[in-house]
Amino acid sequence: MTSTASRRPILDKPFVLDLFAGPGGLDVAGHSLGIPSLGIEWDRSACLTRYAAGLDTLHADVSAIRRDAFESLPPESNVLAGGPPCQTYSVAGHGAGRQALDRVREYIERLMAGESDQKIDEDLKTLSDPRTALVLEPLRYAIQATRSPNRENRPYDVIVLEQVPAVAPLWEHYAKVLEETGLPDRTKYKVVVDVLATETYGVPQTRSRAVLIARREGLGEPSLPAPTHRSYEAKEWNRRNGTSEPGQDADQVHQPTLCEGTASSKSDADLRPWRSMRDALANPAGTHPGRATPFLVRSNYGSSGNPGRRGVRTDRQPAATVTGRISRFVVFEHLDENIVHEGPRFSMNEAGMLQSFPPDYPWSGTAQAQQVGNAVPPLFGAHLLSAALGLPRPAPEALRKPWQPATEEQRTKLRSNGCGAADTCTDRCPRPKDQVPPPSSVRPPRSRKASAK
């Protein structure tokens, strides 16, 4: 269910608590809407990026904060948001989470029945990959809020969650129990769930996400954000434009017969064309000098496991799903119709812009490509928050101005608050060795065809 009707804000002063906040995608979205937030993130480098960007942050384990320091969280937070780590659910991972869906549903039922955290935690230790249990944390936070003296036992008004499409069945179960059973204190929510395509919200990238938006009963019916841009159909593009490997029919690739994002139905007529990599990168912005066009990008990774979205794309198409492998994507530039050469690969600034981060976002620390790939696309996040809170949808240009990084004084203050010291991590921060969970012992079953070889 989507809505294009005029909206009225449902909260006077929204304040977002962002679980698994990463380098700041959802916080940047909130910033563009004038909404304050606090992010909890356990990866040190992602926190360094957040401090450099000027975002309020706790360098901490989401689970540990819930267990040991929930009362220290801002009591004014009334929007719970988050995208739990997806590795065990993603089609690119080993699939421990996908194979544990039924067990996770059972844990949801037990949490809603008011079973003790201690008993739940003990049983969760039997999961083959501990990251699988992190998808339960938003629900556990929602329950904990109703037991918090610091909040006067006040539940969150709005919940916004996003994850890889494989988690959609769990979001559906979240919706069922939030609507029918309610939290242990009997608070109930109205909920919508669906899988959305980010390019239909102006992100220059094909990326599918399972989304949940919930509003506490009495705050009106929630709706999903209405698309603003047309959907990208890879098969249609390839059929009409002859996309191919570098050096093969390059003139055909760059003389398309179909305009980007051409409406495929009457309902598409009022939508903008989807945004391409050229739209995002061709022109100078901040310190980004602009990328020469035309170009081709070759990746070995697609969008949500859809083979039709893998392989080679031109600059006139959206990027394939931006993951931690974005720095490995090979970029070919055309010298003329028949000759190509390998050009510079995407910088982190460019990779961030393909995720819809503003130019000059201050990526910091190590594993920056992984930070970019793990982030919520800020423009997509802005659409989610706008729909959840009854705000006007964000302007298409909202996130295209260069980001102003924090001053050194601001970074020092943010790190003092987030880590406990102005220039270093402290004992309250997660230990580096704990930041990489053990690899999943579960592997997807081999197909009969593969086994026969």
Side-chain angles (χ1 to χ4, degrees):
M1 177 176 59
T2 60
S3 174
T4 56
S6 60
R7 301 178 184 274
R8 292 186 303 171
I10 64 167
L11 299 178
D12 291 334
K13 295 181 178 179
F15 187 112
V16 177
L17 178 64
D18 185 9
L19 310 181
F20 313 104
L26 204 60
D27 304 78
V28 171
H31 180 273
S32 72
L33 300 171
I35 300 172
S37 63
L38 170 67
I40 304 176
E41 172 56 42
W42 83 335
D43 179 73
R44 176 180 177 274
S45 290
C47 287
L48 293 179
T49 295
R50 294 178 60 85
Y51 299 146
L55 303 176
D56 285 332
T57 304
L58 286 180
H59 183 195
D61 178 349
V62 164
S63 301
I65 290 291
R66 172 183 51 79
R67 287 192 305 266
D68 306 324
F70 191 91
E71 294 303 295
S72 68
L73 296 175
E76 66 270 25
S77 61
N78 49 13
V79 180
L80 181 67
C86 69
Q87 290 91 338
T88 71
Y89 295 93
S90 171
V91 295
H94 296 314
R98 298 196 304 279
Q99 297 184 34
L101 285 175
D102 286 341
R103 289 188 63 189
V104 176
R105 288 190 187 97
E106 291 178 9
Y107 287 120
I108 290 174
E109 297 284 353
R110 292 168 60 183
L111 285 166
M112 297 299 270
E115 191 166 329
S116 73
D117 283 337
Q118 292 77 11
K119 175 59 176 173
I120 295 286
D121 287 339
E122 192 62 32
D123 289 352
L124 286 172
K125 293 177 182 178
T126 64
L127 292 173
S128 60
D129 190 320
R131 294 173 296 181
T132 300
L134 294 176
V135 76
L136 296 170
E137 283 299 334
L139 183 58
R140 302 185 81 172
Y141 267 71
I143 294 171
Q144 189 67 25
T146 66
R147 301 168 176 169
S148 168
N150 191 41
R151 296 178 57 86
E152 298 180 346
N153 303 334
R154 189 179 69 257
Y156 292 106
D157 293 312
V158 173
I159 301 173
V160 180
L161 305 176
E162 66 89 42
Q163 247 280 13
V164 293
V167 175
L170 290 183
W171 288 168
E172 293 283 2
H173 202 65
Y174 260 51
K176 181 177 184 294
V177 296
L178 286 170
E179 287 190 331
E180 297 178 6
T181 308
L183 302 178
D185 76 332
R186 301 184 180 180
T187 297
K188 292 185 178 182
Y189 291 80
K190 298 292 185 180
V191 190
V192 288
V193 175
D194 205 350
V195 176
L196 304 179
T198 60
E199 80 270 14
T200 64
Y201 299 95
V203 179
Q205 170 199 174
T206 53
R207 186 186 193 100
S208 299
R209 304 303 286 179
V211 168
L212 176 150
I213 296 177
R215 288 183 183 175
R216 185 171 52 79
E217 279 192 339
L219 293 176
E221 293 284 342
S223 62
L224 296 165
T228 54
H229 294 65
R230 295 171 194 148
S231 175
Y232 170 76
E233 300 295 339
K235 290 183 179 180
E236 179 72 6
W237 171 273
N238 293 337
R239 182 177 71 81
R240 299 215 183 195
N241 297 281
T243 301
S244 60
E245 289 285 349
Q248 298 178 358
D249 299 325
D251 55 334
Q252 184 181 16
V253 171
H254 288 287
Q255 296 296 325
T257 59
L258 177 69
C259 293
E260 287 91 332
T262 294
S264 59
S265 69
K266 190 172 182 179
S267 62
D268 287 343
D270 295 331
L271 300 178
R272 293 169 175 259
W274 39 256
R275 294 187 67 228
S276 66
M277 290 184 279
R278 177 182 293 190
D279 293 332
L281 302 180
N283 296 324
T287 61
H288 172 61
R291 180 172 278 269
T293 60
F295 62 81
L296 295 172
V297 181
R298 186 172 65 202
S299 75
N300 62 352
Y301 194 81
S303 178
S304 305
N306 184 341
R309 292 183 167 191
R310 299 187 185 198
V312 175
R313 294 196 182 182
T314 77
D315 61 289
R316 300 188 71 160
Q317 296 167 272
T321 302
V322 174
T323 71
R325 303 178 188 180
I326 183 67
S327 58
R328 304 181 198 174
F329 288 8
V330 181
V331 182
F332 294 93
E333 297 177 344
H334 284 245
L335 299 176
D336 59 35
E337 290 184 347
N338 298 307
I339 302 175
V340 299
H341 72 96
E342 186 172 336
R345 299 194 179 190
F346 291 132
S347 67
M348 287 304 99
N349 193 15
E350 291 175 315
M353 292 165 71
L354 293 176
Q355 273 275 59
S356 75
F357 276 89
D360 294 343
Y361 196 70
W363 303 102
S364 305
T366 60
Q368 292 181 16
Q370 195 66 49
Q371 291 183 51
V372 176
N374 287 347
V376 177
L379 184 56
F380 182 59
H383 279 278
L384 295 181
L385 289 176
S386 295
L389 297 170
L391 301 174
R393 61 191 183 189
E397 306 296 326
L399 292 165
R400 297 189 201 176
K401 294 181 180 179
W403 188 265
Q404 295 299 315
T407 65
E408 195 60 42
E409 181 180 0
Q410 290 170 329
R411 295 188 197 196
T412 297
K413 182 178 180 180
L414 288 166
R415 191 160 191 186
S416 294
N417 294 336
C419 290
D423 58 355
T424 187
C425 288
T426 64
D427 290 342
R428 82 183 196 191
C429 299
R431 296 177 299 174
K433 70 177 184 178
D434 293 333
Q435 293 189 25
V436 181
S440 173
S441 61
V442 176
R443 299 293 188 270
R446 298 178 65 190
S447 67
R448 292 182 180 179
K449 184 176 179 179
S451 300
K453 292 182 178 180

